[in-house]
Amino acid sequence: MKLALALCLMAVAAPWGSTGFALALGIAFALTLGNPWLKLTARLSRITLQLSVVGLGFGLEIGTVMQTGKESLIYTIVGICGTLSVGYFLGKAFGTDSNTSLLISAGTAICGGSAIAAMAPVLKAKDDETAVALGTVFTLNAVALLIFPLIGHLVGLSQDTFGTWAGLAIHDTSSVVGAASTYGTEALRIGTTVKLTRAMWIIPVVLGFALLRGTRERISTPLFIIGFLVAATTRTALPAYGAQWDQVAALATHCLKFSLFFVGLGLSREVLGRVGLRPMLQGVTLWAAVSGITLAALMAIGIA
């Protein structure tokens, strides 16, 4: 098994390998051979993702980042509020238990697994409730990376529109960046910024639920978002090193492939076995509704 893993890592590192290929290879490995290193690969996925996001910041000017974040702010607020509301009613309709329903809704609305991990202590969710929500969102997140670029090309989305759509409608940062990077450089710039703007809402949303529930759990700040902003600021402050910053950003894009391979390794048969029918139906219906409505709205608005 170790030899097979080493061969897969070599394939991921090859210049012809895409982010979608890396994710699919990881899923195939986990479903056929299993993954006895789940905790290790989950940790490696987080580390490589965070390093990649920070590295991508060196490829952007801070003014561009702030402008994109400002332009997507209203979409983000409306999307988060709408998703949480629709998720609540879908949870009731499908008979999903309240904590699992809210965790799935939060993961869909904000930032996938990060939002679920932040929300679970506030809700005093049981381990199995958290595991089911993570499995549901994790599965759909992997699907999103593979099908979003296909849909984008099918309906002829511009890079601006695709990047905004991916940033607003895909669960985790890893798949947003992966899908956007396959679509184009501009899509990657916009998708990453919109997604990180959305991810920053973990703090106020979780704080709001903590006040409602009367809990006092400590809420951590996503430090990789701050790192991304610092990187973009550094590039802006030191423009003479533009070529070097571009090389760092290119390396970060390459590193992302390893993150997505490790994400795929996490989609094992054990993870899929934890997800029941009702949570999965809620997750699929909510995600399909959010993705479809967001895409229709962006196309109607006519983002360039």
Side-chain angles (χ1 to χ4, degrees):
M1 186 179 288
K2 290 182 179 179
L3 176 59
L5 179 64
L7 292 173
C8 287
L9 288 171
M10 291 173 61
V12 170
W16 46 262
S18 66
T19 50
F21 167 77
L23 177 67
L25 186 62
I27 293 173
F29 188 101
L31 293 180
T32 55
L33 300 178
N35 180 8
W37 316 286
L38 273 174
K39 290 185 178 180
L40 174 61
T41 55
R43 185 166 179 266
L44 288 173
S45 174
R46 287 193 299 272
I47 292 172
T48 51
L49 170 63
Q50 291 169 1
L51 289 174
S52 297
V53 169
V54 173
L56 289 172
F58 285 105
L60 301 170
E61 299 281 345
I62 187 62
T64 303
V65 171
M66 300 306 291
Q67 182 62 30
T68 302
K70 180 180 177 181
E71 291 173 352
S72 66
L73 183 61
I74 298 300
Y75 308 141
T76 300
I77 294 173
V78 172
I80 290 173
C81 293
T83 302
L84 290 173
S85 300
V86 173
Y88 171 80
F89 290 109
L90 285 176
K92 293 289 186 184
F94 287 112
T96 311
D97 71 82
S98 60
N99 278 350
T100 302
S101 174
L102 187 50
L103 290 173
I104 290 172
S105 300
T108 306
I110 308 171
C111 192
S114 299
I116 292 172
M119 187 74 80
V122 170
L123 301 179
K124 293 182 168 51
K126 299 175 183 177
D127 288 345
D128 60 330
E129 293 170 334
T130 304
V132 167
L134 284 170
T136 303
V137 168
F138 186 76
T139 302
L140 296 176
N141 183 59
V143 172
L145 186 147
L146 299 175
I147 69 170
F148 262 55
L150 296 176
I151 295 173
H153 288 301
L154 183 65
V155 300
L157 296 182
S158 67
Q159 289 201 30
D160 284 7
T161 303
F162 182 85
T164 304
W165 181 43
L168 291 173
I170 297 179
H171 304 83
D172 276 335
T173 304
S174 57
S175 285
V176 172
V177 177
S181 66
T182 65
Y183 208 80
T185 304
E186 188 67 9
L188 176 61
R189 177 184 71 79
I190 292 175
T192 302
T193 305
V194 171
K195 178 58 186 177
L196 295 183
T197 301
R198 180 176 155 210
M200 291 182 71
W201 282 85
I202 290 177
I203 299 170
V205 170
V206 174
L207 276 174
F209 276 98
L211 291 173
L212 289 173
R213 295 292 182 102
T215 57
R216 297 185 178 182
E217 295 291 336
R218 182 176 177 271
I219 301 167
S220 59
T221 303
L223 295 179
F224 69 94
I225 299 177
I226 296 174
F228 174 83
L229 295 174
V230 170
T233 302
T234 301
R235 180 192 176 101
T236 305
L238 301 170
Y241 298 95
Q244 286 78 12
W245 301 141
D246 287 339
Q247 289 176 352
V248 173
L251 180 62
T253 303
H254 191 70
C255 180
L256 179 68
K257 295 193 295 182
F258 290 96
S259 175
L260 289 165
F261 174 69
F262 293 132
V263 167
L265 285 177
L267 196 62
S268 63
R269 283 168 287 187
E270 292 77 14
V271 170
L272 293 175
R274 294 193 197 110
V275 182
L277 179 61
R278 291 180 179 181
M280 182 57 77
L281 285 174
Q282 178 188 350
V284 170
T285 306
L286 178 60
W287 178 55
V290 169
S291 301
I293 292 171
T294 303
L295 178 57
L298 292 175
M299 293 178 71
I301 292 170
I303 291 180

